[in-house]
Amino acid sequence: ADFVLVWETVPWELSGQQDSHENGDLQTIHRTWRKKFLDKLHAAGILMEKHMTRVEKKVVHYLLLSAPWSVLCYYAEELQLRVPLQALPRQSSNWSAGVLQRLGIPNLMAQEVPSLPLDYYTCPFKANKLHWFLGSNEQDSFFSTSQRHQILYEILATTQYGHSREREVGVDQLLSENIFTAAFPLHEARHRCPPGTHPAASPAPPASPSPIPCLSLQGPYKLRPEELAAGSLSQRQVLFLYWASWGKWNKYQPLDHVREYFGEKVAFYFAWLGFYTGWLLPAAVVGTVVFTVGIFLMFNDVPSQEICTSEEQYWMCPLCKTCPYWQLSKICSMFMAGRLFDHGGTVFFSIFMSLWAVLFLEFWKWTNASLAHHWDCSEFEDIEERPRPQFTAMAPMTIINPITGVEEPYFPKRSHLHRILAGSMVIIMMIAVVVMFVVSIILYRAVVAILLSNSGYFWSVASASRIASITGSVVNLIFILILSKIYISLAHFLTKWEMHRTQTKYEDAFTFKVFVFQFVTFYSSPIYIAFFKGKFIGYPGNYLSFLGVRNEECSPGGCFIELAQELLVIMVGKQIINNVQELAIPKLKCWWHKHKLLSTKKVGEEGESVLVEQAPWVMDHQLLVFEGLFDEYLEMVLQFGFITIFVAACPLAPLFALLNNWVEIRLDAHKFVCDYRRPVAERAEGIGIWFSILEAITHLAVISNAFLIAFTSDFLPRVYYEYIHDSSLRGYVNFTLAYAPRGFVLQSNTSCRYRAFRDRDGNLTSTYWQLLAIRLGFIITFEHVVFFIGRVIAWLVPDIPEAVAVKVKRERYLAKEALAENKVGCGSS
């Protein structure tokens, strides 16, 4: 069996206990729609076999579906499924393996994985050219399991059970209406078929259904000792042993096996995740070295020593109206901690990470092209992708596709554009809500800092700003996690309403909506701290305020240390929460689902087989529904943003990302193999719109790091002081502190200092303007140098490897030869 439909009914002896008359009418409607849908499947020639189990007060029906050879051939040609023409020699898909081999270094990441899928030249299937394809005489294995799943899902998704205008089309709508409780392909293991009972070819779909002649039964992913000794492993067991196992954390992923079992879309995600994790290794090493250098600089830093030994030399102005004066020497430890992240190595690391991001994307583009050709999907989005079944059902008219020449459903572009604009307005309103909340967090920090400063306790007064910042970060994280759930549901609704033609365009539109929202929610607080906090505060006697609350100042240690703290709270906190959720929640859900389904009793009727407890379809039904890759991609892309946009403030970010991703790969692999029902294999040409988002983040990172170093870091003021005044930085602390204006001193009868470049009247000094010119010049120079080097790298690294370009030409030639109209095919013999 290739697919399973599941629904539940109330047995006759309990049917009189239904809650209401309306509930009974609803059950009648559901039975009618279900019967119409199954009758249509009968008419399409789908083979069916029914089983039932008793669970508490319900009967669970399992309908096993399979498509005969004639139906497979018809839909394979309709869907333009690619089938093999000629076998190819295996080539190493890991560039690092080739490099290590040439250098003569043992490759610790290599592993021998059994049942390695073969590589082929392929072309779209044509039934009348059948004999030109490899394996055409083996009808039960000619189409791969994932291709059979695609064909059956296409039939299920396009079968009408009511009026198309009412969206009464397809199994997805039936699932949303709870007419079916589940629809999924079985995890593949072994074929148990009596000899000579495989489906035979027939010229047309049969008029009436017949029982499924053989079953492809699911096997457990865990291995028995005799199976391991015999080496007879199923695909799922191979993936569990060589991919999902925690002991394989340092081995290459068997991507060809993943692609064969789960399809190209899932395989591209894991290929990108593995590629990204590998590239994080040099970034983590360099970041750790820069952080280590910061430790040595912290203990030998002259300004830090001046602050720590200043005692009562520098009396600082109050941080609020009722706050006391304070000594600069009290912030000794905080100032030294800030030197861990704010030093000359920061500039080098910012440039390094900006170029790292450009190189990473260029080489991923190169790798993506190789994989797309290797997996026969390099032209999928432009030529082979069909309209979404939901779009087909709802489109008001048809039009000729200019590329394929086939008549297809069509939705007017003007109406489509109007819907996108309307949806965009809703998105903007939601983003405005987020911005309002960010403002409220800013006010919260200011109010808490004031309250703690007035508390009278020395510890809370000294740490007021830090406590307010940390609690604000935690509140911000909780808000992000809650609001994102609401927004994702809204984005799903809007994207469906916009009527996107293909699944790729639908997913790209949904991804863009949610990413814009998540970008604002996750990055708004770090952006505020990095570029706005402490920049518009005024001076003693003339402080600026917002909504009646005095604007926040940076903590005494500087905004850099606050930004690093914010990144660690959001980035590391989110990663820990996500990993705990991904580890615990699927296990709890599986346990609960199995607990409900384990107490099954045998139920049978005349003419129907009786299900044995824990049959393969029952075991698969206990697993979790696969809900797509969006959350997985989003987590990684947000992480990519943190380690590039704000890397100047936290050189350890790549190291935390690397450690997280080593866990993430095996965690996700374990979920796919052990916890999820097998998803329908979906084709893809790459990682979709996520690549464009990564490119945008890379450009933003260059600009962000330039502004961080110029305006938030102390790097340029220190360089200016070394060049103009004293290369040893003695007296630098006094240089950065201004005296309180005369009016403020007369009013308070006390002199104090504050961090600024102003004179005794509160006016900006020439030093401020000279530093501003240096900062702007640094930004322009930094951006131009990094973007120029990035352009050179992009020019040197080809988008498509030369070897792949040759293979593409060879494959097109073979396809032209095989499918030429003047060739005699099996259909005309």
Side-chain angles (χ1 to χ4, degrees), residues 277-293:
T277 304
W279 271 71
L280 278 174
L281 188 58
V285 170
V286 175
T288 306
V289 169
V290 169
F291 182 77
T292 306
V293 169

Side-chain angles (χ1 to χ4, degrees), residues 170 173 211 216 254 256 285 332 343 447 507 515 637 649 665 697 701 763:
Q173 185 65 23
S216 174
D256 288 337
V285 170
C332 170
H343 53 84
V447 171
E507 291 180 0
F515 180 78
V637 172
I665 290 176
I697 289 176
N763 299 317

Side-chain angles (χ1 to χ4, degrees), residues 504-578:
T504 298
K505 290 181 179 177
Y506 173 88
E507 291 180 0
D508 287 352
F510 172 75
T511 298
F512 180 75
K513 284 183 183 65
V514 179
F515 180 78
V516 168
F517 174 80
Q518 297 281 19
F519 182 89
V520 174
T521 53
F522 275 99
Y523 294 147
S524 55
S525 184
I527 287 173
Y528 164 72
I529 293 172
F531 304 118
F532 298 100
K533 187 176 182 181
K535 303 298 188 295
F536 311 100
I537 57 175
Y539 54 90
N542 189 28
Y543 286 114
L544 304 178
S545 62
F546 178 73
L547 297 179
V549 178
R550 179 176 153 185
N551 289 350
E552 271 191 300
E553 292 188 51
C554 292
S555 66
C559 275
F560 233 58
I561 186 69
E562 281 194 57
L563 180 58
Q565 168 190 292
E566 183 82 0
L567 291 178
L568 291 175
V569 168
I570 294 181
M571 179 181 165
V572 179
K574 183 177 183 298
Q575 288 179 348
I576 292 172
I577 291 172
N578 282 347

